[in-house]
Amino acid sequence: MRIPAIPRPRSLAGQLFAMQAVLIAVLVAGYAVFTYVSDRGQAEEAAGRQAMAVAQSIADAPSVREAIRTADPTAELQPYALRVQHDADVDFVTIMNPEGIRWTHPDPEQIGQHFRGHTERALRGEPFTEVYTGTLGPSVRAVVPIYDGGRDPADIVGLVSAGIRVEAISKRVQDQLTALIGVAGGALALGAIGTYVINARLRRHTHGMNAAELSRMHDYHQAALHAVREGLLMLDGQYRVALINDGGRELLGVAGDVVGRSVAELGLPAPLTGALLASEPRVDEVHLTAERVLVVNTSPVSGGERRGTVVTLRDVTELQSLMGELDSERGFTQALRSQAHEAANRLHTVVSLIELGRAEEAVEFATAELELAQALTDQVVAAVSEPVLAALLLGKTAQANERGVELVVSEDSRLDDGLLPDALPSRDLVTILGNLIDNAVDAAQGSVGARVTVTAYAEGGELVLRVSDTGAGVDPTHAEAVFQRGFSTKPAGPGGRGLGLALVRQAVGRHEGELSVAEADGGGAVFEVRLPLGGGDGSGGGAGSAEGAGSEDGAASAEGTGSEVRAGPAQGSDSADGVASADGTVSRGSVVSRGDV
């Protein structure tokens, strides 16, 4: 059994067209009825005035009074009445005696008959008009007395009545009404054509959808707008906010009613504002706000003209942080691969010495390598015992060494484990210090005596992180620009440049810290970060203890605490105590290399 299709509701445009057509038809019909009634009343009044004027002029004519005095008034009055009737355009002129007996009538057979109508008021000397049905049918008539000698009722010698039939009056009104209906019909047709054209355009704009479909689409639109976690921003042709969803407000950090405001008034960072104001589309551009890393896509809306811009926003703050950590891990992996290769070479050297019968020289060579690697680890951990920073420094030391740069932990560094508050997460420390070191290594690489110096200590309730390099330094005019996304003095790589320092500034700003850059002693640049510790005593915590600072054979002791730690050639070491492991903790009894983080 085939289910009959449910008729589709009339479109909104069709409903509007039908409503407007009915409205125009009702207005025209009402105006026609009103005009007909009004014109009929006016026509009857005009007919009464016309009949009164004709009757009055006949009653005042001397020839009429003279004819009444004759023995046969009809003989003279009948032709006169017919002539006046024709000339004055009335339907009848009846002249009668005071008793109402007709002397004249359009129908000669009615002469001598009694007048059909009222004459009492006229006999009292009062001319009047009335609508009465006589021998010719309903008519508007006037009755006027004829005086002879005076103006008293006793001087009345006859009566005259002139009238116009109602049928003739109706015909006049109908002629006017016909013309009115023709004009109204033309207006209705013109209005219908105009309405059709407007509604056709409306159908194009609404894509033929009716009111129910538009309402349902609006409900879906609102639900989708608030359900989408990504930010959605729509701008009009003047770059004012036309629509923004909850995700967009959160990602951009705007509050209140921003609809109708210009993008330039939202207080966004200049690069992000420039991207939103750009006329060309943007695809997967990375921009930074005060607290977030956003991927921005813009697409212009056009329909023959620029109507606005659709902007989508994605929060990749966590993803960017994880990518940074992944890049660090990749660097550590490369360093470990290189160290493994060098360790294999050294092992071959030891084996070869033993095969040559030079066991003592083999022991001395292996012991020297172990002592150097263990001393490096012990000195880093002694100066910076915070496990995350210690692991980061060890890893970055190996990476720097692979690139021909010496990474040094300065004598002023002293940071105990447990000093950092929970409000300062390790991920942010890795972001800040890791990016500063990477930037410094990039700057120092290729310079004479390439060197990066790292200083970390607590002072006055603040954590101070300072990284200096032997590179070309930073132009003072660019002291602020270096922290903006996209700024870089180095050639762009496959993934772009200019994001690391911007992430540093974002993380520092998130913790209400301070970030500055200046010229280092002897050339190069020095970047300094100060982060509040939330009530720390600023004592610096002291150096790491001697316990666990030495190796099993006592080759590396705690005496190295507080001295500079330098990265020598990539070397492996079998340490027993105080080694920073890959998860950011300090383990004991582990066998790691210098880059094992």
Side-chain angles (χ1 to χ4, degrees):
M1 178 179 178
R2 184 178 179 182
I3 300 176
I6 300 176
R8 187 172 181 266
R10 185 183 296 272
S11 67
L12 177 61
Q15 295 180 34
L16 289 176
F17 175 75
M19 182 191 70
Q20 293 180 12
V22 171
L23 180 61
I24 293 176
V26 170
L27 289 176
V28 170
Y31 182 70
V33 171
F34 171 78
T35 302
Y36 176 79
V37 174
S38 177
D39 287 355
R40 183 181 177 87
Q42 293 176 2
E44 289 181 354
E45 292 179 3
R49 290 193 299 269
Q50 181 182 359
M52 177 63 72
V54 172
Q56 192 70 52
S57 63
I58 293 174
D60 293 339
S63 59
V64 173
R65 290 194 292 269
E66 293 177 358
I68 291 175
R69 297 189 192 104
T70 63
D72 186 10
T74 300
E76 296 184 13
L77 293 178
Q78 176 69 5
Y80 173 77
L82 292 176
R83 186 169 59 253
V84 172
Q85 174 183 324
H86 179 269
D87 294 341
D89 194 20
V90 294
D91 291 323
F92 68 88
V93 173
T94 299
I95 303 174
M96 69 200 84
N97 63 18
E99 287 75 21
I101 302 301
R102 302 187 186 98
W103 287 325
T104 65
H105 195 276
D107 183 5
E109 295 181 358
Q110 299 296 327
I111 296 174
Q113 301 296 324
H114 196 278
F115 176 73
R116 293 184 182 180
H118 302 94
T119 59
E120 293 82 3
R121 293 174 60 188
L123 293 173
R124 295 196 298 267
E126 299 178 12
F128 68 93
T129 59
E130 65 176 352
V131 178
Y132 194 85
T133 303
T135 58
L136 300 179
S139 63
V140 177
R141 60 183 64 184
V143 182
V144 178
I146 302 173
Y147 295 95
D148 187 11
R151 305 299 293 181
D152 294 331
D155 297 326
I156 294 176
V157 295
L159 302 173
V160 58
S161 176
I164 301 174
R165 290 181 300 169
V166 173
E167 180 181 353
I169 297 174
S170 299
K171 188 175 184 305
R172 296 179 187 177
V173 175
Q174 288 174 359
D175 292 341
Q176 297 177 1
L177 185 60
T178 301
L180 174 64
I181 292 176
V183 173
L188 177 60
L190 183 61
I193 293 174
T195 302
Y196 176 80
V197 172
I198 293 174
N199 286 328
R201 185 174 182 181
L202 179 61
R203 284 196 300 270
R204 289 196 300 270
H205 286 300
T206 60
H207 302 284
M209 290 186 292
N210 56 36
E213 291 171 332
L214 288 175
S215 177
R216 185 165 57 251
M217 176 167 282
H218 176 268
D219 294 339
Y220 288 152
H221 169 268
Q222 291 296 322
L225 191 64
H226 295 288
V228 173
R229 295 291 302 275
E230 287 76 12
L232 179 63
L233 180 67
M234 295 185 183
L235 309 177
D236 62 15
Q238 285 71 44
Y239 298 99
R240 293 174 301 200
V241 178
L243 183 146
I244 184 170
N245 69 343
D246 299 339
R249 292 177 183 274
E250 180 180 357
L251 295 181
L252 295 178
V254 296
D257 187 10
V258 298
V259 175
R261 294 173 56 187
S262 173
V263 171
E265 300 175 359
L266 300 182
L268 302 177
L272 178 56
T273 301
L276 298 181
L277 293 177
S279 57
E280 68 278 0
R282 302 295 180 94
V283 179
D284 290 341
E285 281 196 359
V286 178
H287 289 272
L288 273 69
T289 64
E291 298 182 354
R292 300 179 184 274
V293 181
L294 303 179
V295 173
V296 179
N297 287 272
T298 66
S299 177
V301 179
S302 60
E305 60 179 1
R306 182 178 181 83
R307 297 183 177 179
T309 306
V310 175
V311 182
T312 59
L313 308 167
R314 284 182 290 143
D315 186 5
V316 293
T317 306
E318 296 294 328
L319 178 61
Q320 190 68 39
S321 178
L322 293 175
M323 289 177 62
E325 293 181 9
L326 178 60
D327 289 341
S328 297
E329 294 297 332
R330 288 174 178 171
F332 298 159
T333 302
Q334 293 175 359
L336 288 175
R337 186 181 296 113
S338 176
Q339 290 179 17
H341 180 72
E342 294 187 10
N345 291 336
R346 295 187 181 92
L347 181 60
H348 291 161
T349 301
V350 172
V351 172
S352 298
L353 288 174
I354 293 175
E355 290 177 348
L356 294 175
R358 298 183 178 183
E360 293 182 358
E361 294 181 10
V363 171
E364 291 178 359
F365 178 81
T367 300
E369 293 295 325
L370 289 174
E371 289 178 352
L372 180 59
Q374 186 62 44
L376 174 65
T377 300
D378 291 342
Q379 289 170 356
V380 169
V381 174
V384 181
S385 58
E386 168 62 35
V388 174
L389 294 183
L392 178 66
L393 289 173
L394 288 172
K396 292 297 182 182
T397 299
Q399 284 183 282
N401 180 67
E402 291 297 319
R403 298 176 62 179
V405 178
E406 180 184 19
L407 193 149
V408 177
V409 179
S410 71
E411 298 178 356
D412 298 332
S413 297
R414 186 156 305 185
L415 202 61
D416 284 350
D417 185 12
L419 177 65
L420 301 181
D422 295 337
L424 194 60
S426 59
R427 174 173 293 181
D428 286 348
L429 289 179
V430 170
T431 297
I432 295 172
L433 191 57
N435 280 291
L436 289 179
I437 293 176
D438 289 341
N439 184 73
V441 171
D442 285 342
Q445 187 177 8
S447 63
V448 178
R451 181 176 181 180
V452 173
T453 304
V454 179
T455 304
Y457 60 91
E459 177 184 63
E462 291 182 326
L463 171 64
V464 180
L465 302 175
R466 187 181 299 116
V467 178
S468 61
D469 60 69
T470 58
V474 176
D475 190 336
T477 60
H478 297 157
E480 177 63 24
V482 293
F483 300 112
Q484 295 181 2
R485 189 202 70 82
F487 180 88
S488 178
T489 59
K490 299 179 285 294
R497 287 188 178 272
L499 185 60
L501 292 180
L503 291 174
V504 171
R505 184 170 70 168
Q506 185 188 66
V508 172
R510 189 161 51 242
H511 295 286
E512 300 180 355
E514 297 178 0
L515 173 62
S516 61
V517 59
E519 183 179 357
D521 296 337
V526 54
F527 289 83
E528 182 177 278
V529 173
R530 291 181 175 270
L531 299 174
L533 292 176
D537 58 6
S539 62
S545 62
E547 182 181 354
S551 62
E552 283 184 348
D553 56 1
S557 67
E559 296 174 357
T561 301
S563 62
E564 286 189 347
V565 181
R566 301 168 183 266
Q571 299 166 351
S573 65
D574 296 338
S575 62
D577 300 315
V579 179
S581 65
D583 60 357
T585 60
V586 178
S587 60
R588 297 177 181 272
S590 302
V591 179
V592 298
S593 66
R594 188 183 54 197
D596 191 3
V597 291

